[in-house]
Each structure stands twice: as structure tokens, then as C-alpha cells.
Amino acid sequence: MPDERTGGTSVGPGPGETADRSGLRAVYYIAAAVLALLVPLILLAGIWIRQEFTKTQRDLEEYLEGRATALSQRVEAEIQQEITVLQAIAALPSLDEPNLPEFHREAARMIAAMPQWAVIRLVDGETGKEVVNTLRPVGTDPADATAPDDVKAVAAARRPAVRTRLPEANGLFSDHAIFLYVPVIRDGGARYVLVAGARAATIQTILGEQADDPRVLTVVVDESDRILARSRAPDEFVTRQANPELRRSTAGRPGGLFAAPEVSSQDVFTAFRRSPTTGWLFVVATDRQQFDRLAQRSTLATIATASLALTLAVILAVFLFYNVMERRVSAERLAASRALSDLDARLLATTQEALAEQRKASSEREVLLREIYHRVKNNLQIVQSLLRLGSRDLGPDQRDAFESAIRRIGAMARVHTLLYSSADLASIDLRKYLDGLSKEVADAFGAQERGIRTVVEADAMRVPLDTAVPLAFIAVEVLTNAFKHAFPAGRGGTIKVEARQSGDRGILVISDDGIGMKPESGARRALGLTIVSKLIQQIDGVLEKPEEGRSTVKIDFPLAGASSGPAEEAEERPRRAAAGS
């Protein structure tokens, strides 16, 4: 603009330009200050992101370790339960003497209760020779020594052991097998060792139940460094030797983490735990690329935040927010998964221990009850022998009372014999009992020499103990009277014993084709003694009075114990029984 004092034109900045430049300079200063403050903040944010990735990596490591621990505890509980059952078998009384046929029967019953077992062997602890095998009858030629070094080591240490075996062409198993060794300790020594052969497929089943995450590879390696079970392609890898890198990284270590290629040449990050009981290795692995991706993301995030600065600030904020939320969600999921895994492991261990204790107690109760029946039977037989010895010096008339007592005691002993061999220990097979009883009484009276035939026709029915003993006495008395009185003067004939079931009651009929009962001697011919009528009342039975001139005795009795009817009916039954006698 023209200058009035000089008459020229002004070349300096005007007031408007100075103001504009000052404002722009202020903007630059502010921008520089913001950048100066923002760059270190973004760098610090990058460092924090790296730490978050590292923490996520640690969480993944803890997750792998938790799964390995849970699998180890689950398999340990299963093996410990089977060892407990085998120890209960080793405590059976049949191994005290030993009674090998009885032990063979008891071991066969235990095989039925343990479907994962295929055989139980009793092996000599000094030679390793087989003594009893549940797959072969007692008395057959023993098999060759089965891992005699393992058997001798268990007998010497007197502690259980677990070993695995490879498949054998002509062996017991067509795949991996697990053998449980338990010493049979008597008088401070272990003369025998019990060996139970279990299917290794049980471990594969357990692993299948635990391996619910498809991203994770789970492997069980036995004490010989061979793969026992695998979550992926088990048919291809089971029984193969474990990867040399795995064996080298886990040698002498109870647990830990490492990165190495596995059998299928996949590079994995691995957590492992070693079982103190079996020496097995429980391995849980995942693709190593997950860890590589975490490291790469951390580096790229640091570089990006340092170079892009203000331009990526908004993206960085969104990324930070997303990363924090994702990490929190992942952490919550991992924490919930670990808590559920720990809870499941504890519940499973507690359940297995309770089941093991229950099975052991049940087995001990059964063995004790059988031993009681066996001892009662032996004591009754001793009483029979004493009565026979005492009757040698008596006359024929005096000896008859002793013989009657011997037969009654024999009837009771036979009941306890059948109870000892019965499956439920509370009832007997009436048909089997009547068949043996009729033969025993017939032999006592020389039925074959007298031409007397005994026929037993009985339905298959089980009679409880409270009914079986009184019913045995009744049958002995009726059969005794028939042999004594029905066939006089060398007359022959047939005595028929019938038993059938009608609803919840049983019917016992004893008849003969002898001379029949006379009215005046009917009571004596029908039952023989007053005790018979008392026994019928005791079992809540009903006696049907035989027709005149016939010798048929019919007894109706309950199969499930005495009924709880009105008092009048309870009083009427003894009167009917007395009238029938």
C-alpha cells in the first residue's frame, strides 16, 4: 500500500500476515508437543501390548499343564482302583492253605466283575512259573514263565507294580496290554504274585473322554517309551516308539514344558507329567505356530506403534480395547476350564476311591460270610462224627435215636454246604438240595439192597435260609418214616419227592406206593415226631392230611418268608397242622 511519508510501497509483513503466521506457528508448536508426548506414550503402549501377548502365552502354558495333570490324575485313579481290587483278591482265605480250586472259582467271579480284565494268574514268586490261570482249568500243565524278572522283583519288594507288553502273535492280547502285579503276602513273605492282564484300550477310552479340545494333541507313553494311547490317529501310532526328542526332553523329569517336533513331524509346544505309580508319561501338546504368531504380533505391534505414531493412534486405541477384551474373555474361559478340570479330577478321584472301598468291603463281607457257612458245615460234620462214634457201643434200639439225630444234623449241614457255594449267600436251590438229601437218606437205609427206588421231580426254585433249614428237617423226617414203615418184610417200591412253585408259595409232596397209612398210626406215619408240626408252624406252612390208606404228605409253604396275616389266621394254621397230623 502507498506510504504517505516516503511516497513508496511497504515491503514488510502486514499486521494480518503476522497474526496468521503467529497462529500457524502456535499450531506447529502444539502439534510438536502433542507428537512429543504421543510418541513415548505409543511406545509404552507397544511395550504393554508385548507384555499382554507374553501373559497370554503363559496362560496357554498353564492350560496345557493343567490338562496334563488332569489326565495323569484320572489314569492314576483307574490304575489304583484296579490294584486295590487285586489286593483284595490277594487277601482271600483260599490262598492261605492254598486251596487252588477254590481260588480259581473266586478269581473267575472277579473277572466277571472287572470287564477290562481278561485273565488273573497266580505265579510262583521264586520261579515265575504259572500256578493258576483263570483261562484254564486247575491242574493243567502250567504255562512258561511270564516276565519272571518282574515277578521276582515284585515278590522281593512286596509292593505292587504295573508293566505294559507289546502285542503278541499267539499271546493273550492283540494290542498293547497292561499287567498289574500284586504280591500275596503270608507270614511275612511273598511266595506268590497275582498278575491281572488288562486291556490297554481302557487307557485309550479314558484319553478319549479327556481329549475334548481338537486343538490339543494328547499322548500317553508307557514305561518303555512306547505310545500307549493317542488322541489323534491311535491306530497308526500306538505301540510305536516315542519321538527321540520327547524322550530326551523328559528323561529324569517329573514334569515341565518344552518345544520339539513330535512323532508325526509336527512342530509342537508340549507340557508333560510323569506318573509316580506307573512311570508313564502324560503329554499334552499344541501347534507351535500359535506361540510364533504371538511373538510376531508383539514385534509388529511395537514397530507399528513407533512408526505410525499419530496416524495409527485411533487404530491403536481400538486394537488395545479389542485386545484387552479378548484377553479378559480368554482368561475367564481358561480360568473356568481349569476350575472345571480340577473339580472333575477331584470328584472323579473321590468317586473312584469310594467305589474301591465299597467293592473291597463287599468282597470282604462275602468272603467272611462264606467262611462262616464253611465253618458251620464243618462243625456240624464233626458233631455227626462224634454221634456215630458214640453210637457204636449201643444196641440197635438205642442206636436208632442217634441215627435220627445224625440225619437231622446232616440235613442242616447240607443246607450250609449249598449256601457256601450259592451266588447270593441267602438262599439255596431246593431241587439240588432235595436230590442230594434223598440220595443220602436212601443210602442210610440201604434202599438199593431193599429194592426201593427214589424219584425226585422238582422245579428250579430258591428257598431263603429261614425256610430252608426247617424244611430240611421236615423232609428228613418224612423220608425216614417212609423208609422205615412203608415197605415191611422185604417189600420193594418207589418213594417220590416232588416240589413245584405256585406264585409266591412252594409245594412239597412226598409219597410212596407202600402199605399206606392206617388211621390209628397216621400221625406217626405222616410226620413221625411232634417237632415236625412245630417246624411247619415256624415256616408258616400248611400240612394237607393224607387220605386213609395212602402215604402222600403235602406241605404248602411261602417262598419269601412268613406272611403277616390277622392274629386269627396265625392261630388257625397250627390247629390245621395239628389236625393234619
Side-chain angles (χ1 to χ4, degrees):
M1 60 180 293
D3 189 290
E4 295 179 350
R5 292 172 295 178
T6 62
T9 304
S10 175
V11 297
E17 291 182 0
T18 303
D20 292 336
R21 289 179 181 178
S22 298
L24 184 59
R25 188 178 296 111
V27 172
Y28 289 158
Y29 288 157
I30 293 173
V34 170
L35 288 176
L37 293 174
L38 187 60
V39 170
L41 289 177
I42 294 176
L43 290 177
L44 291 176
I47 295 173
W48 181 80
I49 293 172
R50 187 180 185 89
Q51 292 177 345
E52 290 297 321
F53 278 117
T54 304
K55 185 176 181 181
T56 302
Q57 179 175 336
R58 289 198 300 268
D59 290 341
L60 185 56
E61 292 173 357
E62 292 176 1
Y63 173 70
L64 294 178
E65 290 179 333
R67 293 189 67 91
T69 301
L71 178 60
S72 172
Q73 292 175 347
R74 174 67 177 85
V75 175
E76 282 277 342
E78 178 68 21
I79 295 298
Q80 192 59 47
Q81 174 192 354
E82 296 189 13
I83 290 176
T84 301
V85 174
L86 199 60
Q87 287 174 334
I89 298 175
L92 290 173
S94 56
L95 290 177
D96 294 343
E97 302 176 0
N99 186 343
L100 297 183
E102 179 62 23
F103 171 75
H104 188 277
R105 288 193 296 270
E106 294 173 337
R109 284 197 296 270
M110 295 303 298
I111 284 287
M114 301 292 291
Q116 66 271 36
W117 289 1
V119 66
I120 295 179
R121 297 174 176 174
L122 183 66
V123 183
D124 190 288
E126 297 180 359
T127 64
K129 288 290 186 178
E130 180 180 281
V131 179
V132 174
N133 188 322
T134 55
L135 297 180
R136 291 197 297 270
V138 178
T140 57
D141 294 334
D144 294 333
T146 303
D149 294 336
D150 292 341
V151 172
K152 293 176 182 178
V154 171
R158 294 189 294 176
R159 296 180 59 185
V162 181
R163 299 288 186 271
T164 56
R165 293 288 182 272
L166 289 174
E168 300 174 358
N170 299 319
L172 181 64
F173 299 100
S174 59
D175 55 1
H176 239 144
I178 301 172
F179 288 89
L180 308 175
Y181 297 81
V182 170
V184 180
I185 300 175
R186 297 292 188 278
D187 298 328
R191 178 183 175 187
Y192 298 108
V193 175
L194 277 178
V195 183
R199 297 173 177 85
T202 303
I203 306 302
Q204 182 66 43
T205 301
I206 295 174
L207 187 146
E209 296 171 355
Q210 297 288 318
D212 55 352
D213 191 344
R215 300 171 300 175
V216 173
L217 172 66
T218 308
V219 182
V220 180
V221 180
D222 65 17
E223 74 281 359
S224 300
D225 293 328
R226 294 188 180 274
I227 297 176
L228 184 62
R230 197 174 191 268
S231 61
R232 299 177 190 169
D235 296 336
E236 179 181 355
F237 293 98
V238 168
T239 72
R240 287 178 55 179
Q241 195 76 22
N243 188 281
E245 185 65 26
L246 173 64
R247 300 199 303 270
R248 181 168 55 254
S249 300
T250 59
R253 298 172 60 189
L257 295 162
F258 68 95
E262 51 102 21
V263 167
S264 59
S265 300
Q266 181 183 8
D267 201 15
V268 294
F269 192 81
T270 304
F272 68 96
R273 287 288 180 274
R274 188 177 299 276
S275 168
T277 301
T278 61
W280 297 349
L281 199 66
F282 300 89
V283 179
V284 178
T286 188
D287 189 358
R288 188 177 178 179
Q289 292 181 1
Q290 296 186 43
F291 293 89
D292 293 339
R293 284 194 295 268
L294 290 174
Q296 291 173 3
R297 289 177 183 177
S298 177
T299 303
L300 290 175
T302 304
I303 295 173
T305 54
S307 61
L308 296 179
L310 184 61
T311 307
L312 299 180
V314 175
I315 299 176
L316 180 61
V318 174
F319 177 77
L320 289 175
F321 177 79
Y322 172 80
N323 182 71
V324 170
M325 294 303 297
E326 183 182 26
R327 188 190 65 79
R328 288 181 179 177
V329 172
S330 299
E332 291 176 357
R333 289 178 179 175
L334 288 174
S337 178
R338 287 196 296 268
L340 289 175
S341 298
D342 293 341
L343 179 60
D344 181 69
R346 289 195 297 270
L347 289 176
L348 184 59
T350 304
T351 303
Q352 294 294 340
E353 291 176 1
L355 287 176
E357 291 296 331
Q358 183 179 2
R359 290 175 181 172
K360 181 178 179 182
S362 177
S363 176
E364 291 175 351
R365 285 196 299 270
E366 180 179 349
V367 171
L368 179 59
L369 191 54
R370 291 186 186 279
E371 180 65 18
I372 291 173
Y373 287 148
H374 184 65
R375 292 182 183 273
V376 170
K377 184 259 296 183
N378 289 343
N379 291 337
L380 291 174
Q381 289 178 345
I382 291 173
V383 173
Q384 280 186 298
S385 300
L386 293 175
L387 289 175
R388 287 194 180 97
L389 290 174
S391 64
R392 288 182 178 179
D393 298 331
L394 300 177
D397 295 338
Q398 297 173 325
R399 190 178 303 164
D400 186 64
F402 276 80
E403 293 296 333
S404 297
I406 291 172
R407 284 190 292 274
R408 295 187 187 108
I409 295 173
M412 186 181 297
R414 181 171 293 278
V415 170
H416 285 83
T417 300
L418 290 179
L419 283 172
Y420 175 73
S421 59
S422 175
D424 59 9
L425 300 175
S427 63
I428 66 170
D429 187 342
L430 184 60
R431 179 170 58 185
K432 183 184 295 186
Y433 180 79
L434 291 175
D435 185 64
L437 180 65
S438 61
K439 290 180 181 179
E440 183 177 335
V441 177
D443 292 341
F445 284 95
Q448 186 174 3
E449 293 80 4
R450 294 171 58 187
I452 302 174
R453 189 167 64 97
T454 305
V455 178
V456 178
E457 296 180 358
D459 295 342
M461 69 178 78
R462 301 199 69 82
V463 178
L465 177 61
D466 293 342
T467 303
V469 174
L471 202 61
F473 284 137
I474 294 170
V476 167
E477 293 298 334
V478 175
L479 288 173
T480 299
N481 287 336
F483 278 109
K484 281 185 177 181
H485 305 291
F487 307 101
R491 176 174 175 172
T494 301
I495 297 176
K496 188 174 183 180
V497 180
E498 301 175 79
R500 60 182 180 273
Q501 184 174 352
S502 177
D504 59 349
R505 297 187 70 84
I507 299 174
L508 175 64
V509 180
I510 303 177
S511 61
D512 62 72
D513 56 2
I515 61 174
M517 295 185 181
K518 297 179 182 180
E520 63 276 6
S521 60
R524 182 178 58 82
R525 279 291 315 281
L527 298 177
L529 295 172
T530 304
I531 190 174
V532 173
S533 61
K534 298 296 183 182
L535 291 172
I536 293 176
Q537 296 177 23
Q538 179 180 334
I539 64 174
D540 201 15
V542 177
L543 173 66
E544 183 177 312
K545 183 176 180 180
E547 298 178 3
E548 183 177 346
R550 296 182 60 84
S551 301
T552 300
V553 177
K554 182 178 179 181
I555 302 168
D556 186 319
F557 58 93
L559 289 177
S563 62
S564 57
E568 293 79 10
E569 183 180 356
E571 294 176 358
E572 182 62 20
R573 288 195 179 103
R575 290 198 292 270
R576 289 201 302 266
S581 62

